[in-house]
Amino acid sequence: MDALFSRRVHFVVGKGGVGKTTVSVALALMAVRHGRRTLLIELEAGGRAGSLLDLSQPATYAAHLSPAGVWTIAVDGRSSLEEYLGLIIPARRVLKAVLHSKVYQYFVAAAPGLKELMAVGKVWYEAERRGDDGQRQWDVVIVDAPATGHSLQYLRMPRAARDTFGPGLVKREAARIHALLESSKETAVHLVTTAEEMPVTETIEAYTTLASDLRVPLGLLVVNRLHHGAAPDALVDRLREGAAVLPAADARVALAVARRATEENAWAAINRAQLERLRVAVPLPTIVLPMVFAREFGPDDVAALSQLVDGQCAGQPGAAQPPLGRGHDPR
Amino acid sequence: MTLGDVVAKHKVVVCVGSGGVGKTTAAAAIGLWGAHQGRATVVITIDPARRLATSLGLEVKSGEPHEIPTDRLGAPPPRGTMAAMMLDQKGAWDRLVERHAPSARVRDQVLANTFYQSLSQTFAGSYEYMAVEELSELHESGRYDLIVVDTPPTKHALDFLEAPRRLDDFLDRRIIRWFVRPYVSATWVGMRLMNRTMGFLLKRLEDATGISVLLTISEFFSAMGGLFEGFHERVERAYGILQGAETAFVLVTSPDEQVLGEAEYLSAKMAELRMPLKGVIFNRTHDELALLDGSRRDGGDAGGKGYVEQVVARALSMAGGSGDPQELQALVDNFLRYQMLAEGERGRIEAFTAALRGRVPTVRVPNFSHDVHDVGALTGLHPHLFPSAQGRGDGTR
């Protein structure tokens, strides 16, 4: 665990809808529990981190402190670029005119990845930022990244910018950001997925790109929403048999119970097969999180998941392959 | 009015929704149903799962509708036809350039231009623009009487509706004219003459960032001026179709998307855009078994739990032997966990449906514990999307 948070910058990457925000918040809560001053950054505004942290509003460009002690901001490339241009063009009125001009929009559109670069630049700025006392502002910065394809664009930009832009501020900063990104002492990119076919396929592709093309230091593989199965299939069959001789109203209930058990077992089987694919193709320390059954998934659920991450990290020092949480085998 | 009526009465059905909710599958299932209703159907799709693409014969991104042999569309084969077209954003832009470029040299120059590459690959809205461009083309071809559009995954469900217009706004002809004046492309002088302050500041911007782009932009627009001449008209024509009486918008969403908290906003916004919501598909839902009558339900979970335990124990003993009490408990707990999940979903769906304006048909598709990646599985969605008249309680609110 201490090994995990000895790195300061954590990117959480994965396909849309697999639970990146949940995992980001869980990691942030865990860092706070371990006494780290923690900033959670949502790349692109409008996410759910705010509500999962029990904040009354979504994260914004200005930092908010959650009841559990996590600071959070939302960063998008446009605001970061504007903040940055504010440094180059100090006159407010003039700056405003530039930002609202169409020519500026062309400039942004024409410099490929400039917005992404600026957003990652903001992450770097927060990670390096020091207070008046000369101490670092944050011990840990966790980045809730957008859907995989777009995340890779973010992570790719610093190197691309360093290599392609002419000499100037941007090139210099891109080189510094890239140095932080590729340092395995400072940075970890965590992959999140569910154990279903399409997310796993995308995760394997992302792993290959990250490991062999971008060469960023990887951290954990978090497999979310794992079903463990309900009961052995033979028992479910017996339940069905017995239901046949019950009065209709009761039979309906018994059959519904059987159907849910079959459904849960089917998901568990899919999950097991996909976990196996991951085990072969993505050799990273793996955390498994259960499917959470809740009326409304909320802050308490994330806090509970955070404890699970903590427990599994404690059980697996360094980069050793962890024991995968095998649930009840329904067969 | 049911979702089936909506599809039957419209020529164009546009599926909107945020990413990862099953839009592609829903669009394909609607298209297949149309074919079974005897219509000449085409589905414009974005990024189907590989096996669905294979199943529909979409391995090749040809940029043309691909007619699916009717014997692959289930038995009995549909009375109508079904074609599918995979939208390849980059390919579609390239074709546009090829169509409008005055010469091969200009074409190559444009394809290699970094501004063009950025515009065609990353600029938000260009994907959406290509979708409506293809829609217009297919609509005008008159070859199909049902066109189903699967929209690109967006962060917000409504992003698709405005994106083409934003792109049009971005490619404002008056501004483009700045860039196509020859003297601008050569130096900054022209820009400075046009607008002294702006030119000066942008020069500083370029110097400070080390990114020089205006020359690239200018080259692009000079070469491709013709492409954008008709752009505005094409966008307007596409909106004419989107806002027409023949077009229906259907929202596809899972029961835990943020959009479920925004029904009023959604209704108001779509009405304002003159693209009213005509149907909602709740995908990956869990249905809830009405366990007990209201009075006992009010007694709390404990009452329901006791009853279920009793029933399961009885059923198991009927089938021989009482079994392991732990296994019995596991069966019951599993059932109650799904009931709880379903109850939460029902609450969100009901609140959303109640807040929608007007009578919008809604359907629920269960969270299948198998992948929906072939024609057979698509057909399996039909009883949920288009329940027969005497079917279950979903349907019109």
Side-chain angles (χ1 to χ4, degrees):
Chain A
M1 202 298 310
D2 276 331
L4 181 64
F5 291 128
S6 67
R7 307 196 205 175
R8 292 186 295 127
V9 184
H10 299 257
F11 284 89
V12 179
V13 171
K15 182 178 162 64
V18 298
K20 283 184 300 292
T21 303
T22 298
V23 170
S24 303
V25 171
L27 285 173
L29 291 171
M30 181 174 153
V32 167
R33 278 201 308 276
H34 288 275
R36 306 297 206 277
R37 279 165 305 175
T38 305
L39 177 69
L40 175 66
I41 299 181
E42 269 193 303
L43 275 187
E44 299 186 351
R48 289 177 84 169
S51 76
L52 291 181
L53 280 166
D54 229 349
L55 286 165
S56 53
Q57 58 180 69
T60 63
Y61 207 66
H64 289 281
L65 178 63
S66 86
V70 177
W71 286 91
T72 176
I73 59 171
V75 164
D76 66 280
R78 252 206 136 81
S79 318
S80 308
L81 181 57
E82 288 172 13
E83 186 183 18
Y84 174 75
L85 291 177
L87 303 175
I88 303 176
I89 307 167
R92 280 203 160 266
R93 244 187 42 233
V94 177
L95 176 66
K96 223 172 154 185
V98 169
L99 298 181
H100 285 101
S101 77
K102 213 155 245 172
V103 181
Y104 166 73
Q105 293 180 32
Y106 284 121
F107 181 83
V108 174
L114 187 61
K115 282 186 305 223
E116 285 83 358
L117 177 68
M118 287 301 158
V120 179
K122 174 76 175 170
V123 171
W124 174 84
Y125 170 79
E126 291 295 342
E128 295 291 308
R129 193 161 143 193
R130 287 173 192 274
D132 295 335
D133 55 0
Q135 295 294 306
R136 283 221 169 89
Q137 187 91 4
W138 312 111
D139 298 319
V140 171
V141 175
I142 291 167
V143 184
D144 179 10
T148 315
H150 204 183
S151 285
L152 297 185
Q153 279 179 16
Y154 278 100
L155 294 172
R156 184 175 282 130
M157 259 333 283
R159 189 172 74 182
R162 184 196 63 183
D163 295 346
T164 53
F165 290 154
L169 258 177
V170 171
K171 188 190 179 79
R172 280 202 305 280
E173 297 214 342
R176 296 212 316 245
I177 297 167
H178 178 65
L180 175 75
L181 258 188
E182 68 167 9
S183 158
S184 58
K185 285 205 180 76
E186 307 274 28
T187 300
V189 177
H190 307 296
L191 288 169
V192 183
T193 186
T194 54
E196 291 172 58
E197 181 175 347
M198 281 186 63
V200 165
T201 301
E202 199 171 307
T203 301
I204 292 172
E205 283 167 7
Y207 171 77
T208 311
T209 308
L210 288 164
S212 51
D213 173 19
L214 293 180
R215 298 181 189 210
V216 290
L218 290 162
L220 302 168
L221 169 67
V222 183
V223 184
N224 194 20
R225 276 188 228 137
L226 216 61
H227 292 262
H228 291 302
D233 287 337
L235 183 71
V236 182
D237 289 343
R238 262 195 19 238
L239 177 59
R240 281 206 175 82
E241 273 169 47
V245 292
L246 290 182
D250 293 347
R252 200 171 125 264
V253 173
L255 287 176
V257 172
R259 187 167 61 84
R260 284 304 189 206
T262 302
E263 179 176 352
E264 174 65 15
N265 288 352
W267 279 115
I270 290 174
N271 287 171
R272 271 197 311 278
Q274 297 300 330
L275 264 179
E276 185 56 26
R277 277 181 78 200
L278 286 168
R279 197 182 62 75
V280 172
V282 184
L284 292 176
T286 303
I287 302 286
V288 289
L289 298 177
M291 165 78 187
V292 174
F293 291 88
R295 274 182 199 85
E296 298 286 339
F297 186 84
D300 293 346
D301 299 304
V302 189
L305 290 177
S306 176
Q307 297 283 358
L308 287 178
V309 177
D310 215 336
Q312 290 182 48
C313 282
Q316 49 177 73
Q321 189 71 23
L324 287 182
R326 300 272 169 191
H328 180 73
D329 191 327
R331 273 158 314 177
Chain B
M1 183 90 108
T2 63
L3 184 65
D5 297 333
V6 169
V7 176
K9 285 183 180 144
H10 292 85
K11 193 172 166 184
V12 179
V13 175
V14 184
C15 297
V16 295
S18 44
V21 295
K23 257 184 310 191
T24 303
T25 312
I30 291 171
L32 182 60
W33 189 75
H36 279 287
Q37 299 297 109
R39 302 170 79 180
T41 303
V42 62
V43 179
I44 304 176
T45 188
I46 310 291
D47 188 20
R50 213 159 292 158
R51 277 197 287 139
L52 180 60
T54 309
S55 166
L56 296 176
L58 280 175
E59 294 91 340
V60 188
K61 295 184 179 182
S62 65
E64 291 294 324
H66 163 92
E67 207 72 35
I68 304 166
T70 46
D71 59 8
R72 288 175 82 164
L73 294 177
R79 290 182 286 133
T81 58
M82 178 168 168
M85 174 172 177
M86 178 131 83
L87 192 63
D88 167 22
Q89 174 186 235
K90 189 74 173 85
W93 277 96
D94 289 355
R95 279 191 297 127
L96 215 64
V97 169
E98 276 161 23
R99 205 180 297 157
H100 293 275
S103 72
R105 197 183 57 79
V106 170
R107 181 197 65 205
D108 294 344
Q109 196 186 331
V110 169
L111 294 180
N113 184 289
T114 51
F115 178 67
Y116 167 76
Q117 287 168 354
S118 165
L119 186 70
S120 61
Q121 276 175 330
T122 63
F123 186 76
S126 55
Y127 219 160
E128 288 82 353
Y129 169 71
M130 290 319 306
V132 298
E133 167 106 10
E134 296 294 352
L135 167 63
S136 300
E137 236 175 78
L138 291 177
H139 190 263
E140 279 153 26
S141 78
R143 281 157 64 196
Y144 301 100
D145 49 33
L146 175 62
I147 304 173
V148 185
V149 186
D150 167 28
T151 58
T154 51
K155 189 152 178 86
H156 191 277
L158 293 188
D159 286 349
F160 171 76
L161 305 178
E162 290 188 287
R165 190 155 276 156
R166 275 204 299 273
L167 183 64
D168 180 36
D169 186 44
F170 175 76
L171 294 172
D172 186 321
R173 281 162 303 170
R174 282 163 307 165
I175 307 289
I176 289 172
R177 251 176 250 138
W178 284 20
F179 286 104
V180 291
R181 295 196 181 176
Y183 54 85
V184 180
S185 38
T187 69
W188 275 96
V189 177
M191 185 63 75
R192 236 179 279 173
L193 288 175
M194 293 290 298
N195 182 330
R196 185 173 287 269
T197 320
M198 198 61 64
F200 173 70
L201 286 171
L202 282 166
K203 180 78 173 82
R204 277 193 64 184
L205 209 61
E206 282 202 347
D207 289 348
T209 57
I211 303 170
S212 42
V213 291
L214 290 200
L215 187 62
T216 319
I217 303 174
S218 179
E219 277 171 7
F220 170 71
F221 283 121
S222 302
M224 290 307 296
L227 171 61
F228 297 102
E229 276 305 303
F231 191 80
H232 180 69
E233 286 69 22
R234 285 203 295 278
V235 169
E236 285 309 311
R237 213 166 58 209
Y239 271 96
I241 296 171
L242 292 179
Q243 294 172 334
E246 292 182 323
T247 300
F249 286 86
V250 172
L251 174 72
V252 185
T253 180
S254 77
D256 41 34
E257 293 295 308
Q258 276 182 328
V259 70
L260 289 194
E262 304 171 350
E264 282 168 51
Y265 167 77
L266 201 78
S267 291
K269 186 77 193 172
M270 292 184 77
E272 179 196 319
L273 292 167
R274 291 193 289 135
M275 302 177 195
L277 186 65
K278 300 239 173 107
V280 181
I281 298 170
F282 297 106
N283 198 15
R284 304 194 80 166
T285 63
H286 299 86
D287 57 353
E288 189 185 359
L289 183 72
L291 254 191
L292 302 164
D293 58 59
S295 57
R296 282 185 65 187
R297 190 188 198 115
D298 289 341
D301 281 342
K305 188 176 177 187
Y307 170 57
V308 175
E309 278 170 359
Q310 220 178 41
V311 169
V312 171
R314 233 172 338 127
L316 286 178
S317 71
M318 294 283 199
S322 56
D324 179 350
Q326 271 187 342
E327 287 183 331
L328 183 146
Q329 202 55 53
L331 281 169
V332 173
D333 288 348
N334 179 66
F335 173 74
L336 295 174
R337 278 198 295 265
Y338 275 93
Q339 285 283 95
M340 187 163 68
L341 198 66
E343 197 184 304
E345 289 176 3
R346 180 172 50 84
R348 286 191 294 277
I349 288 174
E350 277 172 5
F352 175 80
T353 312
L356 283 179
R357 286 189 193 172
R359 294 166 63 82
V360 178
T362 63
V363 293
R364 291 191 196 190
V365 177
N367 186 27
F368 296 111
S369 47
H370 58 80
D371 295 313
V372 182
H373 286 162
D374 57 39
V375 170
L378 288 180
T379 312
L381 295 182
H382 289 163
H384 303 282
L385 293 173
F386 310 108
S388 51
Q390 66 273 31
R392 294 151 312 138
D394 281 323
T396 313
R397 177 170 66 88

